Amino acid sequence: MKEVLRTTNPVELSWSQAMLKDAGIACFVYDTHMSIMEGSLGILPRRLAVIDEDFERALDILSRKPFDDEGGHGGHDDGDA
């Protein structure tokens, strides 16, 4: 098993699981119960892992996420507004 994502963002986690499932890649979420025990403050991240054979493909799929880590809409902002 290899980790492909570590996040406190439940939307990113759900989107990532859906994308991997659609691609036929089984994934596993770790630390769900730890996250619940900390009171849903968003301090402890959840981890998403896949089997070793699917690792490279999973990284490729997840690299195309439609949002950035700050909750934007993805893409690059070159400052030419």
Side-chain angles (χ1 to χ4, degrees), residues 16-73:
S16 299
Q17 288 178 279
M19 292 300 292
L20 294 175
K21 182 180 177 183
D22 285 350
I25 299 174
C27 59
F28 307 90
V29 178
Y30 294 121
D31 303 323
T32 298
H33 298 293
M34 291 301 294
S35 178
I36 291 169
M37 288 185 64
E38 55 97 8
S40 299
L41 297 174
I43 297 170
L44 299 175
R46 295 180 193 171
R47 297 176 293 148
L48 190 63
V50 300
I51 61 173
D52 294 353
E53 293 80 15
D54 290 333
F55 181 70
E56 293 296 327
R57 202 165 127 234
L59 287 181
D60 181 55
I61 290 167
L62 297 181
S63 71
R64 297 180 246 147
K65 62 185 178 180
F67 47 87
D68 61 25
D69 293 335
E70 285 77 39
H73 289 70

